[in-house]
Amino acid sequence: MPASLADALALLKNEPGVWKPFAGGTDLMVLLEAGKLPHRNYINIWGLKELRGIEVTDTQVTLGALTTYTEVQADPVLQSEFPMLCQAASETGGLAIQNRGTLGGNIVNASPAADSPPALLAYDAEIELVSSGGSRWLPYYGFHTGYKQMHLGPDELLARIRLPRNTRGATHYYRKVGTRKAQAISKVCFAAIGRKDDDQISDTRIIVGSVAPIVVRCVETENFLRGRKPDAETIQLACVRMSQEISPIDDIRSTANYRLQVAKNLLADFLLSV
Ligand SMILES: Cc1cc2nc3c(=O)[nH]c(=O)nc-3n(C[C@H](O)[C@H](O)[C@H](O)COP(=O)(O)OP(=O)(O)OC[C@H]3O[C@@H](n4cnc5c(N)ncnc54)[C@H](O)[C@@H]3O)c2cc1C
Protein backbone atom coordinates (compact mmCIF):
# COMPACT_ATOMS: atom_id res chain seq x y z
CA MET A 1 0.00 0.00 0.00
CA PRO A 2 1.96 3.03 -1.23
CA ALA A 3 1.79 6.23 0.79
CA SER A 4 1.54 8.47 -2.25
CA LEU A 5 0.95 8.43 -5.99
CA ALA A 6 4.64 9.15 -6.51
CA ASP A 7 5.56 6.04 -4.48
CA ALA A 8 3.13 3.92 -6.47
CA LEU A 9 4.49 5.17 -9.80
CA ALA A 10 8.09 4.61 -8.70
CA LEU A 11 7.27 0.99 -7.83
CA LEU A 12 5.59 0.43 -11.21
CA LYS A 13 8.60 1.93 -12.98
CA ASN A 14 11.27 0.06 -11.05
CA GLU A 15 9.66 -3.37 -11.34
CA PRO A 16 7.71 -3.28 -14.63
CA GLY A 17 4.94 -5.85 -14.98
CA VAL A 18 5.45 -7.21 -11.46
CA TRP A 19 2.86 -5.12 -9.59
CA LYS A 20 -0.80 -5.18 -10.54
CA PRO A 21 -2.82 -2.10 -9.54
CA PHE A 22 -5.67 -3.02 -7.21
CA ALA A 23 -8.44 -0.40 -6.93
CA GLY A 24 -11.85 -1.59 -5.69
CA GLY A 25 -10.87 -5.19 -6.47
CA THR A 26 -14.34 -6.09 -7.75
CA ASP A 27 -12.98 -7.46 -11.02
CA LEU A 28 -9.68 -8.69 -9.63
CA MET A 29 -11.12 -10.64 -6.70
CA VAL A 30 -13.35 -12.69 -8.98
CA LEU A 31 -10.37 -13.69 -11.13
CA LEU A 32 -8.14 -14.25 -8.12
CA GLU A 33 -10.65 -16.56 -6.45
CA ALA A 34 -11.04 -18.47 -9.72
CA GLY A 35 -7.26 -18.94 -9.93
CA LYS A 36 -7.14 -17.02 -13.21
CA LEU A 37 -4.67 -14.33 -12.21
CA PRO A 38 -0.99 -14.98 -12.80
CA HIS A 39 -0.02 -11.95 -10.68
CA ARG A 40 0.97 -12.45 -7.09
CA ASN A 41 1.93 -8.86 -6.28
CA TYR A 42 -0.74 -6.22 -5.95
CA ILE A 43 -0.31 -2.54 -5.38
CA ASN A 44 -3.28 -1.20 -3.46
CA ILE A 45 -4.14 2.19 -4.94
CA TRP A 46 -7.48 2.54 -3.07
CA GLY A 47 -5.99 4.95 -0.54
CA LEU A 48 -4.38 7.34 -3.03
CA LYS A 49 -6.17 10.65 -2.55
CA GLU A 50 -4.57 11.98 -5.76
CA LEU A 51 -6.87 9.62 -7.69
CA ARG A 52 -10.05 10.63 -5.87
CA GLY A 53 -12.59 13.42 -6.04
CA ILE A 54 -14.87 15.11 -8.54
CA GLU A 55 -13.77 18.59 -9.62
CA VAL A 56 -16.07 20.94 -11.50
CA THR A 57 -15.00 24.01 -13.49
CA ASP A 58 -17.01 26.18 -15.91
CA THR A 59 -16.04 24.00 -18.85
CA GLN A 60 -15.45 20.47 -17.55
CA VAL A 61 -15.98 17.88 -14.86
CA THR A 62 -12.91 15.86 -13.84
CA LEU A 63 -13.33 12.60 -11.96
CA GLY A 64 -10.58 10.76 -10.15
CA ALA A 65 -10.08 7.22 -11.45
CA LEU A 66 -11.07 5.89 -8.02
CA THR A 67 -14.52 7.53 -8.18
CA THR A 68 -17.03 4.86 -7.22
CA TYR A 69 -20.45 4.28 -8.76
CA THR A 70 -22.05 5.48 -5.52
CA GLU A 71 -20.10 8.75 -5.73
CA VAL A 72 -21.09 9.19 -9.39
CA GLN A 73 -24.78 8.84 -8.55
CA ALA A 74 -24.57 11.33 -5.68
CA ASP A 75 -22.99 14.17 -7.65
CA PRO A 76 -25.47 16.95 -8.58
CA VAL A 77 -23.59 18.15 -11.68
CA LEU A 78 -23.30 14.61 -13.04
CA GLN A 79 -27.00 14.06 -12.31
CA SER A 80 -28.08 17.13 -14.28
CA GLU A 81 -25.53 17.21 -17.12
CA PHE A 82 -24.32 13.61 -17.48
CA PRO A 83 -27.39 11.55 -16.60
CA MET A 84 -26.28 8.54 -18.66
CA LEU A 85 -23.20 8.11 -16.48
CA CYS A 86 -25.40 8.19 -13.36
CA GLN A 87 -27.78 5.71 -14.93
CA ALA A 88 -24.90 3.39 -15.88
CA ALA A 89 -23.61 3.65 -12.29
CA SER A 90 -27.04 2.85 -10.84
CA GLU A 91 -27.38 -0.23 -13.07
CA THR A 92 -23.90 -1.58 -12.36
CA GLY A 93 -23.82 -4.66 -10.13
CA GLY A 94 -25.61 -4.20 -6.81
CA LEU A 95 -25.05 -1.76 -3.95
CA ALA A 96 -21.91 -3.44 -2.64
CA ILE A 97 -20.29 -3.30 -6.09
CA GLN A 98 -21.40 0.33 -6.47
CA ASN A 99 -19.71 1.25 -3.18
CA ARG A 100 -16.44 -0.39 -4.11
CA GLY A 101 -16.15 -0.55 -7.91
CA THR A 102 -14.44 2.39 -9.61
CA LEU A 103 -14.70 4.06 -13.00
CA GLY A 104 -10.96 3.61 -13.51
CA GLY A 105 -11.22 -0.11 -12.83
CA ASN A 106 -14.13 -0.41 -15.23
CA ILE A 107 -12.11 1.27 -18.01
CA VAL A 108 -8.85 -0.65 -17.48
CA ASN A 109 -10.58 -3.98 -16.97
CA ALA A 110 -11.64 -3.40 -20.59
CA SER A 111 -14.67 -5.65 -20.74
CA PRO A 112 -16.66 -5.07 -23.95
CA ALA A 113 -19.77 -5.54 -21.78
CA ALA A 114 -18.84 -2.86 -19.23
CA ASP A 115 -21.59 -0.36 -18.55
CA SER A 116 -19.91 2.99 -17.95
CA PRO A 117 -17.65 3.11 -21.07
CA PRO A 118 -20.59 3.61 -23.48
CA ALA A 119 -21.75 6.64 -21.47
CA LEU A 120 -18.19 8.01 -21.17
CA LEU A 121 -17.65 7.65 -24.93
CA ALA A 122 -20.99 9.30 -25.69
CA TYR A 123 -19.87 12.23 -23.53
CA ASP A 124 -16.55 12.46 -25.41
CA ALA A 125 -14.45 11.77 -22.31
CA GLU A 126 -10.72 12.25 -22.13
CA ILE A 127 -8.47 10.28 -19.81
CA GLU A 128 -5.24 11.09 -18.04
CA LEU A 129 -2.49 8.50 -17.75
CA VAL A 130 0.31 9.14 -15.27
CA SER A 131 3.73 7.62 -14.82
CA SER A 132 6.83 8.71 -12.95
CA GLY A 133 7.81 10.45 -16.20
CA GLY A 134 4.74 12.73 -16.18
CA SER A 135 1.15 12.86 -17.35
CA ARG A 136 -0.60 12.59 -20.70
CA TRP A 137 -4.22 13.27 -21.63
CA LEU A 138 -5.79 11.39 -24.52
CA PRO A 139 -9.28 10.96 -25.93
CA TYR A 140 -10.97 7.92 -24.40
CA TYR A 141 -12.21 7.07 -27.89
CA GLY A 142 -9.39 4.98 -29.38
CA PHE A 143 -7.89 3.99 -26.00
CA HIS A 144 -9.04 0.37 -26.35
CA THR A 145 -7.52 -1.24 -29.41
CA GLY A 146 -8.74 -4.86 -29.15
CA TYR A 147 -10.06 -7.34 -26.62
CA LYS A 148 -8.42 -6.31 -23.32
CA GLN A 149 -5.85 -4.31 -25.31
CA MET A 150 -5.27 -0.61 -24.63
CA HIS A 151 -2.77 2.24 -24.77
CA LEU A 152 -1.63 1.86 -21.16
CA GLY A 153 2.04 1.34 -20.38
CA PRO A 154 3.14 -1.10 -17.63
CA ASP A 155 4.41 1.86 -15.60
CA GLU A 156 1.24 3.92 -16.00
CA LEU A 157 -1.91 4.40 -13.94
CA LEU A 158 -5.18 5.85 -15.11
CA ALA A 159 -5.48 8.98 -12.98
CA ARG A 160 -8.48 11.04 -14.10
CA ILE A 161 -11.40 11.18 -16.50
CA ARG A 162 -12.53 14.51 -17.93
CA LEU A 163 -15.94 15.34 -19.38
CA PRO A 164 -16.61 18.53 -21.36
CA ARG A 165 -19.67 20.41 -20.05
CA ASN A 166 -21.45 20.80 -23.38
CA THR A 167 -24.42 18.49 -23.01
CA ARG A 168 -27.20 20.99 -22.35
CA GLY A 169 -30.10 20.74 -24.76
CA ALA A 170 -29.01 17.35 -26.09
CA THR A 171 -31.03 14.13 -26.04
CA HIS A 172 -29.34 11.57 -23.76
CA TYR A 173 -30.35 7.95 -24.34
CA TYR A 174 -28.97 5.05 -22.30
CA ARG A 175 -30.25 1.49 -22.12
CA LYS A 176 -28.66 -1.53 -20.48
CA VAL A 177 -30.33 -4.74 -21.60
CA GLY A 178 -29.61 -7.66 -19.30
CA THR A 179 -31.33 -10.59 -17.72
CA ARG A 180 -32.22 -8.83 -14.46
CA LYS A 181 -32.45 -5.31 -13.05
CA ALA A 182 -29.28 -5.77 -10.97
CA GLN A 183 -26.22 -8.02 -10.88
CA ALA A 184 -26.55 -8.74 -14.59
CA ILE A 185 -23.91 -8.52 -17.29
CA SER A 186 -25.20 -6.63 -20.33
CA LYS A 187 -26.43 -8.48 -23.40
CA VAL A 188 -26.39 -5.09 -25.10
CA CYS A 189 -25.51 -1.72 -23.66
CA PHE A 190 -26.43 1.36 -25.72
CA ALA A 191 -25.57 5.01 -25.06
CA ALA A 192 -26.18 7.88 -27.42
CA ILE A 193 -26.35 11.63 -27.41
CA GLY A 194 -28.05 13.63 -30.14
CA ARG A 195 -28.92 17.14 -31.21
CA LYS A 196 -31.32 18.53 -33.76
CA ASP A 197 -31.14 21.71 -35.77
CA ASP A 198 -34.70 22.59 -36.91
CA ASP A 199 -35.96 19.19 -37.96
CA GLN A 200 -32.61 17.71 -38.98
CA ILE A 201 -30.18 15.75 -36.89
CA SER A 202 -27.10 17.91 -36.47
CA ASP A 203 -24.91 15.73 -34.32
CA THR A 204 -24.91 12.32 -32.64
CA ARG A 205 -22.54 10.03 -30.80
CA ILE A 206 -23.71 6.42 -30.78
CA ILE A 207 -22.00 3.77 -28.70
CA VAL A 208 -22.85 0.08 -28.33
CA GLY A 209 -21.37 -2.35 -25.84
CA SER A 210 -21.37 -6.17 -25.76
CA VAL A 211 -21.49 -6.44 -29.56
CA ALA A 212 -17.78 -6.64 -30.46
CA PRO A 213 -14.38 -7.25 -28.79
CA ILE A 214 -14.42 -3.63 -27.60
CA VAL A 215 -17.19 -1.12 -26.93
CA VAL A 216 -17.98 0.30 -30.37
CA ARG A 217 -18.54 3.89 -31.40
CA CYS A 218 -20.63 3.78 -34.60
CA VAL A 219 -18.92 6.59 -36.48
CA GLU A 220 -20.25 5.61 -39.93
CA THR A 221 -23.78 5.65 -38.59
CA GLU A 222 -23.18 9.03 -36.95
CA ASN A 223 -21.85 10.45 -40.23
CA PHE A 224 -24.79 9.04 -42.17
CA LEU A 225 -27.28 10.67 -39.78
CA ARG A 226 -25.82 14.17 -39.92
CA GLY A 227 -28.20 16.55 -41.71
CA ARG A 228 -31.04 14.02 -42.08
CA LYS A 229 -34.55 14.07 -40.71
CA PRO A 230 -35.10 11.26 -38.21
CA ASP A 231 -37.93 9.75 -40.27
CA ALA A 232 -38.75 6.09 -40.96
CA GLU A 233 -36.44 5.83 -43.97
CA THR A 234 -33.50 7.39 -42.13
CA ILE A 235 -34.04 5.08 -39.18
CA GLN A 236 -34.14 2.01 -41.38
CA LEU A 237 -30.97 3.00 -43.27
CA ALA A 238 -29.20 3.94 -40.04
CA CYS A 239 -29.95 0.48 -38.66
CA VAL A 240 -28.36 -1.07 -41.75
CA ARG A 241 -25.25 1.09 -41.27
CA MET A 242 -24.98 0.22 -37.61
CA SER A 243 -25.30 -3.51 -38.39
CA GLN A 244 -22.16 -3.17 -40.50
CA GLU A 245 -20.22 -1.54 -37.67
CA ILE A 246 -20.92 -4.07 -34.92
CA SER A 247 -20.14 -7.78 -34.82
CA PRO A 248 -22.19 -9.45 -32.09
CA ILE A 249 -21.53 -13.08 -31.26
CA ASP A 250 -23.38 -15.99 -29.64
CA ASP A 251 -22.16 -16.60 -26.12
CA ILE A 252 -23.35 -17.79 -22.73
CA ARG A 253 -25.38 -14.61 -22.16
CA SER A 254 -27.14 -14.13 -25.50
CA THR A 255 -27.15 -14.76 -29.23
CA ALA A 256 -25.76 -12.71 -32.09
CA ASN A 257 -29.24 -12.36 -33.62
CA TYR A 258 -30.83 -11.16 -30.41
CA ARG A 259 -28.04 -8.65 -29.79
CA LEU A 260 -28.26 -7.29 -33.33
CA GLN A 261 -32.03 -6.91 -33.18
CA VAL A 262 -31.93 -5.24 -29.77
CA ALA A 263 -29.20 -2.84 -30.91
CA LYS A 264 -31.32 -1.88 -33.94
CA ASN A 265 -34.42 -1.40 -31.81
CA LEU A 266 -32.50 0.84 -29.43
CA LEU A 267 -31.07 2.91 -32.28
CA ALA A 268 -34.59 3.38 -33.68
CA ASP A 269 -35.92 4.35 -30.25
CA PHE A 270 -33.05 6.81 -29.74
CA LEU A 271 -33.66 8.45 -33.13
CA LEU A 272 -37.36 8.77 -32.40
CA SER A 273 -36.56 10.45 -29.09
CA VAL A 274 -34.18 12.89 -30.82
C1 LIG B 1 -21.00 -9.18 -8.65
C2 LIG B 1 -20.40 -8.24 -9.68
C3 LIG B 1 -21.25 -7.49 -10.47
C4 LIG B 1 -20.72 -6.62 -11.43
N1 LIG B 1 -21.57 -5.93 -12.22
C5 LIG B 1 -21.08 -5.09 -13.17
C6 LIG B 1 -21.98 -4.38 -14.04
O1 LIG B 1 -23.20 -4.47 -13.94
N2 LIG B 1 -21.42 -3.57 -14.99
C7 LIG B 1 -20.07 -3.44 -15.12
O2 LIG B 1 -19.63 -2.69 -16.00
N3 LIG B 1 -19.22 -4.10 -14.31
C8 LIG B 1 -19.68 -4.92 -13.35
N4 LIG B 1 -18.81 -5.62 -12.54
C9 LIG B 1 -17.37 -5.48 -12.76
C10 LIG B 1 -16.64 -4.47 -11.82
O3 LIG B 1 -17.37 -4.23 -10.64
C11 LIG B 1 -16.38 -3.13 -12.53
O4 LIG B 1 -15.66 -3.34 -13.72
C12 LIG B 1 -15.62 -2.16 -11.61
O5 LIG B 1 -15.77 -0.86 -12.10
C13 LIG B 1 -14.14 -2.48 -11.48
O6 LIG B 1 -13.54 -1.48 -10.68
P1 LIG B 1 -12.54 -1.87 -9.50
O7 LIG B 1 -12.04 -0.60 -8.92
O8 LIG B 1 -13.18 -2.83 -8.57
O9 LIG B 1 -11.40 -2.60 -10.37
P2 LIG B 1 -10.26 -3.64 -9.89
O10 LIG B 1 -10.84 -5.00 -9.77
O11 LIG B 1 -9.50 -3.11 -8.73
O12 LIG B 1 -9.32 -3.57 -11.18
C14 LIG B 1 -9.77 -3.95 -12.45
C15 LIG B 1 -8.62 -3.84 -13.44
O13 LIG B 1 -8.27 -2.47 -13.63
C16 LIG B 1 -6.92 -2.24 -13.22
N5 LIG B 1 -6.97 -0.91 -12.60
C17 LIG B 1 -7.87 -0.49 -11.69
N6 LIG B 1 -7.71 0.83 -11.45
C18 LIG B 1 -6.66 1.22 -12.20
C19 LIG B 1 -6.02 2.49 -12.40
N7 LIG B 1 -6.43 3.61 -11.78
N8 LIG B 1 -4.98 2.56 -13.26
C20 LIG B 1 -4.57 1.42 -13.91
N9 LIG B 1 -5.13 0.23 -13.77
C21 LIG B 1 -6.18 0.12 -12.93
C22 LIG B 1 -6.55 -3.38 -12.32
O14 LIG B 1 -5.16 -3.64 -12.33
C23 LIG B 1 -7.34 -4.52 -12.97
O15 LIG B 1 -6.66 -5.00 -14.10
C24 LIG B 1 -19.30 -6.50 -11.56
C25 LIG B 1 -18.46 -7.23 -10.74
C26 LIG B 1 -18.99 -8.10 -9.80
C27 LIG B 1 -18.08 -8.90 -8.92
Side-chain angles (χ1 to χ4, degrees):
M1 190 184 291
S4 67
L5 179 60
D7 284 358
L9 296 175
L11 193 63
L12 292 176
K13 179 169 184 256
N14 294 336
E15 297 180 72
V18 171
W19 295 90
K20 182 93 173 150
F22 190 107
T26 61
D27 277 311
L28 283 176
M29 286 305 294
V30 175
L31 294 172
L32 193 64
E33 289 292 304
K36 289 185 182 163
L37 269 184
H39 293 86
R40 284 293 169 263
N41 299 298
Y42 298 93
I43 176 165
N44 184 352
I45 60 173
W46 183 255
L48 297 180
K49 57 184 183 317
E50 297 93 332
L51 306 185
R52 288 211 171 271
I54 300 176
E55 200 183 292
V56 180
T57 68
D58 287 348
T59 53
Q60 57 207 24
V61 178
T62 307
L63 303 118
L66 292 173
T67 303
T68 65
Y69 297 110
T70 301
E71 288 165 345
V72 166
Q73 291 172 74
D75 188 88
V77 177
L78 295 178
Q79 283 166 11
S80 68
E81 296 176 34
F82 302 94
M84 296 194 290
L85 189 59
C86 294
Q87 194 182 337
S90 74
E91 295 185 36
T92 293
L95 291 182
I97 295 295
Q98 291 172 17
N99 285 336
R100 185 77 195 181
T102 66
L103 285 181
N106 204 218
I107 291 172
V108 178
N109 187 57
S111 163
D115 293 315
S116 54
L120 292 171
L121 286 166
Y123 289 135
D124 217 8
E126 294 175 304
I127 54 176
E128 183 191 31
L129 306 178
V130 291
S131 70
S132 56
S135 136
R136 57 182 179 130
W137 281 97
L138 55 157
Y140 179 35
Y141 176 55
F143 176 64
H144 290 124
T145 52
Y147 183 68
K148 302 265 176 187
Q149 303 295 309
M150 68 206 93
H151 292 295
L152 180 72
D155 61 341
E156 285 182 310
L157 287 175
L158 173 57
R160 293 185 289 174
I161 301 146
R162 189 158 74 187
L163 304 171
R165 293 181 74 185
N166 57 9
T167 64
R168 286 212 186 275
T171 299
H172 306 239
Y173 183 97
Y174 180 90
R175 294 286 184 283
K176 168 176 175 168
V177 178
T179 304
R180 298 177 297 257
K181 288 276 186 198
Q183 302 287 33
I185 301 179
S186 291
K187 295 172 189 235
V188 176
C189 185
F190 186 102
I193 191 160
R195 287 177 195 281
K196 244 176 38 168
D197 202 355
D198 291 329
D199 56 354
Q200 293 178 344
I201 298 167
S202 56
D203 196 22
T204 56
R205 269 192 300 276
I206 298 166
I207 325 295
V208 198
S210 233
V211 292
I214 59 171
V215 173
V216 179
R217 178 170 172 195
C218 299
V219 177
E220 298 290 324
T221 310
E222 295 171 6
N223 291 340
F224 166 77
L225 286 166
R226 195 165 297 116
R228 289 181 186 255
K229 286 185 189 169
D231 56 18
E233 190 195 355
T234 297
I235 290 174
Q236 197 226 329
L237 292 171
C239 285
V240 173
R241 297 273 157 141
M242 190 189 62
S243 314
Q244 292 159 356
E245 292 192 81
I246 62 179
S247 48
I249 55 165
D250 293 336
D251 68 10
I252 191 168
R253 291 193 301 280
S254 191
T255 63
N257 276 341
Y258 179 81
R259 289 183 157 119
L260 179 61
Q261 189 58 52
V262 168
K264 288 200 262 186
N265 292 350
L266 294 175
L267 177 61
D269 199 34
F270 160 62
L271 291 172
L272 288 173
S273 61
V274 171

